[in-house]
Amino acid sequence: MEKTFLVFTQAAFVTFGGAYAVLPYVAQVSVEKFNWLTNLQMLDGLALGETTPGPLIMVLVFVGFMAGHNHFGGSLAMGTLGLLTTTFYTFLPCFLFILVGAPIIERTQENKRVKQILALVTAAVVGVILNLTIYLGKVVIFPKDFSFAGLDYITLGWTVISFIAMYRLKIGMIPWIGISAVFGLVYYLTTH
């Protein structure tokens, strides 16, 4: 419970950068430090979050649920408790920030120094999002280990094809997601 409180309260402190600024921290801590879930389960949580509005809270409660579920022998009750705890400790600091910070923001809205600092924060957030891309890309392209032997050539090939289809051929994202889903299903059915 104490670890959950610390992880998700700290995550709430960086939510000003958006969901993609928080997710690298949560992924690293929950997968690598506490072993609450695997890399692939974290990727599943991100995929779940991207299918709904509010991806940050969807991913965070998924991590909280999996932490309780995995560490208490597959208990749904403990998974639910992890989910509820995660939700509470993610939102509590945000509400406190709003109550305390709103008057300060109003007073500093036209301050040029504050705008410059926020521009630096924006640049840092872009770097954090790139970090998340690399972290999750590594999990997908190197599912077993980070070596040529662990490289998934089909996934790497499909990634290259996707970039070409969307950026060169200008195929829209929604149709390409459908095409990728069909490709993934066919690939899965033919290899399993």
Side-chain angles (χ1 to χ4, degrees):
M1 190 74 144
E2 181 181 326
K3 289 178 186 176
T4 308
F5 162 74
L6 289 174
V7 168
F8 293 105
T9 299
Q10 288 172 351
F13 282 115
V14 293
T15 56
F16 62 82
Y20 297 111
V22 176
L23 292 176
Y25 165 75
V26 172
Q28 189 172 28
V29 170
S30 62
V31 172
E32 296 173 11
K33 186 173 181 183
F34 295 127
N35 297 312
W36 287 342
L37 62 166
T38 67
N39 278 328
L40 292 176
Q41 287 174 330
M42 185 66 201
L43 196 58
D44 289 343
L46 183 62
L48 173 70
E50 290 302 315
T51 63
T52 62
L56 174 62
I57 194 61
M58 288 298 292
V59 175
L60 295 183
V61 297
F62 177 80
V63 169
F65 177 84
M66 293 305 292
H69 182 267
N70 288 344
H71 280 272
F72 291 98
S75 169
L76 290 178
M78 293 308 287
T80 303
L81 181 60
L83 179 148
L84 294 171
T85 304
T86 300
T87 305
F88 181 77
Y89 288 120
T90 299
F91 281 114
L92 180 65
C94 295
F95 285 122
L96 294 176
F97 287 151
I98 291 169
L99 288 174
V100 173
I104 296 169
I105 296 297
E106 286 295 321
R107 285 191 298 247
T108 60
Q109 193 169 355
E110 297 301 321
N111 188 321
K112 289 186 188 267
R113 285 188 177 239
V114 171
K115 287 183 179 184
Q116 289 172 339
I117 291 170
L118 290 177
L120 291 174
V121 169
T122 301
V125 167
V126 170
V128 170
I129 292 170
L130 178 61
N131 179 39
L132 177 66
T133 303
I134 293 168
Y135 179 84
L136 294 174
K138 190 174 93 174
V139 171
V140 172
I141 295 173
F142 296 96
K144 294 181 178 78
D145 59 18
F146 191 63
S147 68
F148 283 114
L151 179 65
D152 184 342
Y153 292 100
I154 301 295
T155 302
L156 179 61
W158 191 255
T159 302
V160 171
I161 290 168
S162 295
F163 277 114
I164 292 169
M166 290 193 306
Y167 293 106
R168 195 77 153 139
L169 304 176
K170 304 294 184 202
I171 297 175
M173 186 179 295
I174 300 300
W176 194 254
I177 289 172
I179 292 167
S180 295
V182 170
F183 174 79
L185 181 62
V186 169
Y187 175 65
Y188 176 80
L189 293 175
T190 57
T191 58
H192 288 86

